[in-house]
């Protein structure tokens, strides 16, 4: 083996070892703690863009977007394959940790798979269950025929008052510093330039029609209305759509140059493109007051699952705003995920809450995000205990973990109750409009 090949092999071994160390608890952990339950809140896996041909997305570039294997907003073939692999990994992990047995056939009430009533979420849950419980013929619970949003998963504001609007806009504007909403766009100057280059925006139909050759910094408008999801108008909204489509195209198109519309984009440039979507998500869903409002029904659902007697495993399948708002409402510390161009809630990512019985007679809980790295998504890498997905531990503000990184279960349950109760403490006034 020559020196170059030897160096490459060593680097690969170190990367693999790093992932294993991150995913595995030390041997002593297994002696001191027994896994009793796992609750998973999952984002759906790879889908086609939300809008199809002839949409505003097409007007942003002279190029043709990737030819998708599914209709607009639906789970792609790759997404189904990747989710099955993730389910297979969870099966191996839960067998190892003693929660289930190989080819486990759950008894009534031991497992629950509940998805939003959209094709991409139902399909994600179905593929995951096939990988995790291949002989169990799991039923995916969903309230409506596809595709209709379930109120538990729909990130809608269930009330809006003048006082709430004032507080929410103050929190959102703070993301831009002293310049407020314009500051949000100012902070994306580099990312906008990269996105404009990748799109060839200056040669786009929109540029030819309206002279729109660059994303503006002064046109962001936030729309917060009762019974509706937070929305925005302006350049960030257009850039967010393009960012989303580029991210998905990068995962699906194996030729990186083709994925970048002929541009040889660096890893940093792909991260810059993805950051536009991350910022847009923060603007719409992560402001504290907005997050408490949006996440309220889902927080109650998750809290109920953690308290359901006899439950071993719960899989709730929703969307990026669900994870973003839940994490914000629970006051999770700021983080940036490694080995992913999406730094907060990558496609297919899972918020995992594990409940343990300690040898000391106490109950504990751990929080983590489990997700496939960008390379694992692009390469469709088989996931095993030896080659796991990324497992990133999350920390809760104001709570002290023990030496093994676990929180007392009663503290976690109190945090859930605090986030649920915060909904009733949001600012209201005499003209408060409540959800129908």
């Amino acid at each position: 083996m020559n020196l170059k090949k030897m160096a490459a092999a060593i680097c690969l071994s170190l990367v693999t070892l790093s992932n294993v160390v991150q995913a595995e608890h030390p041997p002593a952990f297994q002696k001191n703690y027994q896994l009793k339950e796992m609750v998973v809140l999952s984002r759906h896996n790879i889908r086609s863009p939300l809008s199809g041909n002839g949409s505003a997305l097409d007007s942003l570039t002279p190029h043709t977007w990737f030819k998708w294997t599914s209709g607009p907003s639906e789970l792609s073939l790759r997404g189904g394959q990747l989710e099955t692999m993730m389910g297979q990994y969870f099966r191996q992990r839960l067998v190892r940790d003693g929660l289930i047995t190989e080819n486990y056939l759950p008894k009534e009430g031991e497992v629950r798979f509940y998805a939003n009533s959209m094709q991409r979420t139902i399909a994600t849950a179905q593929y995951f269950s096939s990988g995790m419980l291949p002989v169990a013929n799991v039923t995916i619970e969903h309230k409506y025929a596809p595709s209709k949003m379930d109120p538990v998963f729909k990130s809608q504001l269930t009330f809006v008052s003048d006082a709430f609007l004032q507080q929410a806009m103050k929190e959102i504007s703070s993301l831009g510093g002293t310049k407020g909403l314009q500051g949000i766009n100012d902070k994306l100057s580099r990312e906008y330039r990269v996105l404009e280059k990748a799109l060839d925006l200056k040669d786009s139909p929109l540029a030819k029609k309206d002279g729109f050759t660059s994303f503006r910094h002064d046109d962001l408008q936030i729309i917060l209305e009762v019974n509706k999801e937070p929305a925005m108008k302006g350049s960030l909204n257009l850039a967010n759509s393009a960012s989303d489509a580029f991210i998905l195209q990068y995962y699906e198109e194996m030729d990186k140059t083709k994925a970048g519309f002929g541009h040889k984009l660096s890893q940093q440039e792909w991260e810059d493109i993805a950051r536009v979507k991350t910022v847009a998500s923060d603007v719409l869903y992560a402001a504290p007051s907005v997050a408490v409002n949006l996440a309220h029904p889902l927080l109650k659902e998750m809290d109920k699952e953690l308290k359901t007697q006899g439950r071993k495993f719960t899989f709730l399948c929703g969307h990026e705003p669900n994870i973003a708002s839940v994490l914000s409402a629970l006051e999770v510390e700021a983080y940036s995920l490694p080995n992913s161009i999406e730094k907060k809630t990558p496609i297919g990512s899972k918020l995992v809450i594990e409940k343990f019985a300690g040898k000391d007679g106490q109950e504990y809980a751990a929080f983590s995000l489990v997700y496939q790295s960008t390379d694992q998504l692009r390469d469709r890498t088989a996931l095993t205990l030896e080659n796991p997905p990324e497992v990133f531990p999350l920390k809760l503000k104001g709570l002290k973990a023990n030496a093994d990184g676990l929180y007392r279960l009663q503290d976690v349950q109190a945090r859930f109750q605090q986030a649920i109760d915060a909904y009733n403490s949001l600012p209201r006034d005499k003209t408060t409009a409540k959800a129908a």
Side-chain angles (χ1 to χ4, degrees):
M1 181 182 288
N2 63 36
L3 290 177
K4 285 186 178 179
K5 289 184 178 179
M6 184 180 295
I10 291 172
C11 289
L12 179 61
S13 298
L14 289 174
V15 170
T16 303
L17 179 60
S18 173
N19 282 345
V20 172
V21 169
Q22 193 178 29
E24 301 284 347
H25 292 297
F29 186 94
Q30 306 290 344
K31 297 178 182 179
N32 294 325
Y33 305 98
Q34 176 62 49
L35 180 63
K36 291 296 184 182
E37 183 184 359
M38 180 181 285
V39 174
V40 175
L41 173 59
S42 178
R43 182 184 175 193
H44 58 76
N45 217 296
I46 295 175
R47 56 158 171 77
S48 61
L50 297 175
S51 53
N53 293 334
S55 67
L57 190 59
D58 287 338
S59 72
L60 292 173
T61 179
H63 305 289
T64 301
W65 293 97
F66 181 81
K67 187 176 181 180
W68 290 88
T69 58
S70 59
S73 84
E74 295 185 347
L75 198 73
S76 73
L77 292 178
R78 178 184 294 268
Q81 293 168 333
L82 291 167
E83 198 62 29
T84 303
M85 293 174 185
M86 187 65 93
Q88 291 170 334
Y89 162 75
F90 269 80
R91 170 164 51 87
Q92 294 177 49
R93 176 172 162 176
L94 295 179
V95 169
R96 178 204 65 192
D97 292 346
L99 187 65
I100 65 173
T101 56
E102 190 69 38
N103 293 323
Y104 168 63
L105 292 172
K107 297 177 183 177
E108 182 71 27
E110 286 186 335
V111 303
R112 184 189 185 201
F113 284 76
Y114 173 31
N116 188 22
S117 300
M118 304 296 286
Q119 188 273 356
R120 59 189 180 276
T121 46
I122 297 170
T124 293
Q126 192 71 66
Y127 280 110
F128 182 95
S129 70
S130 296
M132 179 183 158
L133 301 171
V135 299
N137 194 26
V138 170
T139 298
I140 308 303
E141 176 187 342
H142 56 95
K143 292 182 179 177
Y144 310 110
S147 289
K148 178 181 178 180
M149 279 283 188
D150 181 333
V152 170
F153 294 98
K154 185 176 181 180
S155 297
Q156 63 180 344
L157 297 165
T158 49
F159 81 89
V160 172
S161 69
D162 291 340
F164 171 78
L165 283 174
Q166 185 176 3
Q167 179 166 313
M169 287 306 302
K170 182 178 180 181
E171 292 168 354
I172 295 170
S173 296
S174 71
L175 297 173
T178 57
K179 289 187 176 181
L181 295 184
Q182 179 170 328
I184 294 171
N185 281 322
D186 287 348
K187 290 182 178 182
L188 286 172
S189 291
R190 184 187 71 198
E191 290 82 355
Y192 278 170
R193 301 296 86 78
V194 173
L195 189 54
E196 290 160 8
K197 179 184 78 171
L199 288 166
D200 286 314
L201 182 61
K202 67 182 187 306
D203 299 319
S204 69
L206 191 60
K208 293 177 181 178
K209 179 184 176 185
D210 298 332
F212 190 89
T213 59
S214 63
F215 296 110
R216 293 171 53 181
H217 292 202
D218 61 351
D219 61 352
L220 178 58
Q221 299 177 51
I222 306 298
I223 304 165
L224 304 175
E225 297 179 352
V226 71
N227 293 333
K228 294 183 180 180
E229 294 188 28
M232 60 184 170
K233 293 181 179 180
S235 290
L236 182 55
N237 187 47
L238 287 172
N240 180 44
S241 295
S243 172
D244 176 63
F246 259 128
I247 293 167
L248 297 168
Q249 182 164 276
Y250 185 59
Y251 294 149
E252 290 275 7
E253 173 55 70
M254 289 298 92
D255 186 325
K256 291 184 178 181
T257 303
K258 283 185 180 179
F261 286 150
H263 300 281
K264 294 183 178 180
L265 302 175
S266 67
Q267 179 68 17
Q268 181 59 58
E269 287 175 317
W270 280 112
E271 290 182 10
D272 287 343
I273 288 172
R275 185 169 180 272
V276 173
K277 190 172 188 299
T278 298
V279 170
S281 178
D282 285 345
V283 167
L284 292 175
Y285 312 116
S289 296
V290 174
V292 165
N293 197 330
L294 299 177
H296 188 63
L298 193 50
L299 286 169
K300 291 195 293 183
E301 198 73 30
M302 295 174 72
D303 184 55
K304 182 184 74 175
E305 289 300 311
L306 285 168
K307 295 174 180 175
T308 299
Q309 293 295 318
R311 186 82 83 221
K312 287 188 176 183
F313 184 84
T314 301
F315 188 86
L316 306 172
C317 192
H319 309 266
E320 178 183 19
N322 295 136
I323 296 180
S325 60
V326 164
L327 293 180
S328 177
L330 290 174
E331 299 183 40
V332 169
E333 291 186 6
Y335 63 91
S336 179
L337 298 175
N339 302 319
S340 174
I341 61 172
E342 297 182 86
K343 297 300 182 182
K344 288 196 174 179
T345 51
I347 199 80
S349 59
K350 286 148 182 59
L351 168 59
V352 176
I353 304 175
E354 297 168 280
K355 193 161 77 174
F356 295 97
K359 194 176 181 181
D360 59 2
Q362 302 295 314
E363 289 185 299
Y364 297 92
F367 281 69
S368 62
L369 272 176
V370 178
Y371 61 99
Q372 285 146 305
S373 71
T374 297
D375 287 343
Q376 287 173 334
L377 291 169
R378 284 178 50 79
D379 297 339
R380 281 182 277 204
T381 306
L383 303 175
T384 64
L385 295 178
E386 292 72 35
N387 186 37
E390 301 289 330
V391 181
F392 188 88
L394 297 173
K395 298 179 180 179
L396 296 169
K397 295 177 184 176
L399 293 190
K400 184 175 176 59
N402 68 8
D404 296 307
L406 304 181
Y407 297 105
R408 294 191 307 167
L409 179 62
Q410 64 189 44
D411 291 340
V412 169
Q413 290 176 328
R415 176 58 59 88
F416 265 92
Q417 194 59 51
Q418 175 185 314
I420 292 168
D421 291 344
Y423 176 85
N424 295 319
S425 300
L426 290 173
R428 301 166 185 256
D429 52 45
K430 293 180 181 179
T431 59
T432 297
K434 295 184 179 180

